[in-house]
């Protein structure tokens, strides 16, 4: 097969004239900050996932941090899975006197292992972060059988998997540049607790009600009940600055319209890989979002395959290196001597193959051809499914 002239990325966003038009509308409106587009996006996203309330923020990470601060998470530990992005173990460390309680994962789904959660629990466990790894739902129902504390469902990879965000006490989503509904960067907190919603809402901007909410187009819209701009406000809590702005929300609203088509294409890539890849390649569990296609290959082949595919202009990645192996995390572990054998073993097999809405059938076939060529050459031609 003739080699590509340009690198095929492992992940990438795809936008078009609709996103450009939406951005143009915002720019020409003169309202670039948090305003009507954010309000519209919050309403529509809450409806999408079946939550009562939604708060758009600058990132999933800021969303998790804000929740922990609102609930005064301190003086204890937060449980999280070893196979995840660095944020999962690091965000708890932003809280006062918290250690990160990293636990093992299921060898197939790579989601948090309930049995290891049970083993790792301490009297001072303040929360469990359950990550829907690559869009595969975390087994929150199993954790609920023995743990009745706070569970944060990390839905960064599961926009939108039916039922996602409804299992934990609160859910956090991501619209980072390569997610299924990207806007460059951004996040959403969804929940059903009105009191917590009101607290979080004000915490996104230093405890101040938003400027847009104080601009009265008519008496009904006005916070004060008076037309015009209400300049005065009270601040009764410590807040931060992590609200989404209309520029990002405008992109998300257009991406939301395309979400079903984007997910259909991601699932098509998943199906093609499952059907056509060499039999030695272990297929990942089915996912509705296919945020990543995390295949597994024999230990010792992963890094060689990455280099081989790079020579063919195919970009791959590894999602993820175990969090407990990073020196910075080791210094803050709740159980520094606990062994996590599944994560230690399975991550050595992981390779993420390209999957994004910009891939053509030719791109899919190109990846399949060179992955199979590597294994055919090394192990012999396989019988394909």
């Amino acid at each position: 097969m003739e080699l590509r002239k340009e690198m095929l990325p492992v992940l990438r966003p795809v936008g078009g004239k609709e996103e450009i038009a939406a951005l143009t509308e915002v720019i020409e409106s003169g309202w670039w900050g948090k305003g009507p587009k954010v309000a519209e996006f919050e309403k529509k996203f809450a409806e999408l996932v079946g939550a009562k309330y939604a708060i758009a923020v600058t990132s999933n990470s800021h969303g998790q941090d804000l929740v922990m601060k609102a609930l005064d998470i301190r003086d204890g530990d937060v449980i999280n899975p070893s196979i995840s992005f660095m944020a999962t173990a690091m965000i708890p460390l932003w809280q006062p006197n918290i250690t990160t309680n990293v636990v093992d994962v299921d060898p197939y789904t790579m989601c948090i292992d309930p049995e290891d959660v049970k083993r790792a629990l301490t009297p001072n466990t303040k929360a469990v972060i359950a990550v829907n790894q690559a869009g595969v739902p975390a087994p929150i129902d199993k954790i609920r059988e023995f743990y009745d504390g706070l569970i944060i469902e990390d839905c960064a990879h599961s926009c939108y998997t039916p039922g996602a965000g409804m299992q934990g006490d609160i859910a956090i989503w991501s619209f980072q540049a390569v997610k299924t509904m990207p806007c460059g960067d951004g996040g959403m907190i969804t929940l059903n607790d009105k009191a917590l919603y009101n607290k979080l809402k004000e915490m996104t901007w230093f405890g101040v009600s938003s400027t847009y909410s104080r601009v009265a187009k008519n008496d009904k819209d006005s916070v004060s009940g008076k037309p015009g701009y209400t300049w005065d406000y009270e601040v009764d809590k410590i807040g931060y600055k992590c609200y989404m702005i209309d520029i990002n929300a405008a992109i998300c609203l257009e991406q939301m319209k395309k979400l079903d088509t984007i997910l259909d294409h991601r699932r098509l890539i998943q199906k093609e890989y499952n059907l056509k890849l060499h039999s030695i390649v272990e297929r990942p569990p089915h996912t509705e979002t296919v945020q990543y296609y995390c295949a597994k290959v024999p230990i010792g082949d992963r890094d060689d395959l990455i280099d081989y595919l790079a020579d063919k202009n195919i970009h791959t990645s590894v999602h993820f290196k175990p969090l407990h192996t990073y020196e910075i995390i080791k210094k803050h572990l709740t159980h520094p001597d606990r062994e996590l054998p599944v994560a230690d073993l399975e991550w050595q097999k992981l390779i993420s193959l390209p999957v994004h809405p910009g891939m053509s059938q030719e791109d899919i076939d190109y990846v399949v051809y060179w992955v199979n060529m590597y294994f055919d050459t090394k192990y012999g031609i396989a019988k394909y499914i």
Side-chain angles (χ1 to χ4, degrees):
M1 177 175 285
E2 184 178 352
L3 293 181
R4 290 174 57 95
K5 295 180 180 180
E6 297 180 352
M7 183 68 73
L8 174 63
V10 63
L11 301 165
R12 62 158 291 190
V14 174
K17 61 183 180 181
E18 298 86 1
E19 286 80 7
I20 294 171
L23 287 173
T24 300
E25 178 188 346
V26 170
I27 291 168
E28 291 179 346
S29 75
W31 199 285
W32 295 12
K34 179 183 178 182
K37 292 294 184 182
V38 171
E40 180 184 355
F41 181 40
E42 289 174 334
K43 181 177 184 295
K44 289 183 176 179
F45 194 82
E47 292 171 353
L48 172 69
V49 306
K52 290 183 179 179
Y53 309 108
I55 303 169
V57 290
T58 44
S59 70
N60 175 290
S61 299
H62 285 150
Q64 290 196 38
D65 182 42
L66 204 66
V67 167
M68 291 186 191
K69 285 177 166 52
L71 295 174
D72 197 25
I73 300 296
R74 62 172 64 229
D75 303 320
D77 64 273
V78 173
I79 291 177
N80 48 80
S82 185
I83 299 298
S84 185
F85 181 56
M86 175 59 69
T88 306
M90 190 171 285
I91 293 167
L93 301 178
W94 297 348
Q95 319 313 320
N97 302 314
I98 285 288
T99 57
T100 190
N101 195 343
V102 179
V103 302
D104 218 338
V105 295
D106 179 89
Y108 179 54
T109 67
M110 306 303 288
C111 289
I112 194 167
D113 177 10
E115 290 302 312
D116 209 44
V117 171
K118 186 184 298 185
R119 288 188 286 268
L121 278 170
T122 75
N124 292 317
T125 295
K126 304 299 183 179
V128 172
I129 301 173
V131 179
N132 297 334
Q133 173 63 11
V136 177
I140 292 174
D141 56 337
K142 299 295 183 183
I143 298 173
R144 279 291 185 219
E145 292 177 3
F146 57 84
Y147 176 72
D148 61 2
L150 175 67
I151 296 180
I152 298 172
E153 185 177 356
D154 186 332
C155 297
H157 302 168
S158 48
C159 182
Y160 175 66
T161 298
M166 292 290 100
Q167 302 305 308
D169 296 291
I170 196 163
I172 322 287
W173 309 76
S174 176
F175 314 117
Q176 186 265 347
V178 296
K179 296 300 191 292
T180 51
M181 205 171 80
C183 69
D185 210 346
M188 189 77 78
I189 305 168
T190 56
L191 67 165
N192 294 320
D193 184 324
K194 185 176 182 179
L196 181 56
Y197 164 75
N198 288 331
K199 184 176 184 179
L200 287 166
K201 193 79 171 174
E202 292 189 359
M203 287 177 68
T204 62
W205 191 38
F206 301 115
V208 181
S209 58
S210 75
T211 303
Y212 179 69
S213 70
R214 290 180 283 112
V215 174
K217 297 177 181 177
N218 53 56
D219 288 353
K220 182 180 178 182
D221 292 334
S222 173
V223 170
S224 66
K226 301 175 182 179
Y229 173 57
T230 305
W231 61 266
D232 196 12
Y233 51 81
E234 187 54 73
V235 176
D236 60 3
K237 60 178 64 66
I238 298 295
Y240 306 88
K241 188 179 182 183
C242 53
Y243 56 79
M244 182 180 283
I245 63 175
D246 274 21
I247 290 172
N248 297 80
I251 298 174
C252 273
L253 284 165
E254 295 306 317
Q255 287 283 301
M256 181 183 287
K257 295 174 186 176
K258 303 175 182 180
L259 185 58
D260 286 344
T261 300
I262 288 170
L263 294 181
D264 282 346
H265 192 64
R266 286 178 171 272
R267 290 190 287 265
L268 170 65
I269 298 168
Q270 176 179 240
K271 181 180 179 180
E272 290 281 289
Y273 283 164
N274 286 347
L275 287 172
K276 297 177 179 179
L277 286 172
H278 194 285
S279 59
I280 206 166
V281 177
E282 183 180 335
R283 278 66 169 163
H286 176 82
T287 160
E288 290 296 304
T289 61
V290 204
Q291 172 60 55
Y292 309 117
Y293 188 88
C294 300
K296 292 182 183 178
V297 297
I299 293 176
D301 278 322
R302 195 266 307 279
D303 291 353
D304 288 343
L305 179 59
I306 288 173
D307 292 341
Y308 177 86
L309 294 176
D311 287 340
K312 314 304 179 189
N313 280 333
I314 300 171
H315 182 205
T316 57
S317 190
V318 175
H319 293 96
F320 297 96
K321 179 179 175 180
L323 295 175
H324 67 278
T325 64
Y326 289 93
E327 290 301 321
I328 189 64
I329 299 301
K330 287 180 182 179
K331 296 177 182 179
H332 301 281
L333 288 173
T334 308
H335 303 291
D337 298 325
R338 288 189 77 242
E339 295 184 354
L340 306 179
V342 175
D344 285 337
L345 176 66
E346 297 299 324
W347 90 274
Q348 298 178 68
K349 308 173 186 177
L350 289 171
I351 179 171
S352 294
L353 299 178
V355 54
H356 56 78
M359 290 180 67
S360 65
Q361 184 64 50
E362 182 180 359
D363 293 332
I364 300 168
D365 293 340
Y366 186 82
V367 174
V368 169
Y369 177 87
W370 287 113
V371 171
N372 289 350
M373 181 62 71
Y374 174 89
F375 288 113
D376 284 347
T377 301
K378 186 166 184 178
Y379 295 105
I381 297 176
K383 293 181 179 179
Y384 300 108
I385 297 173

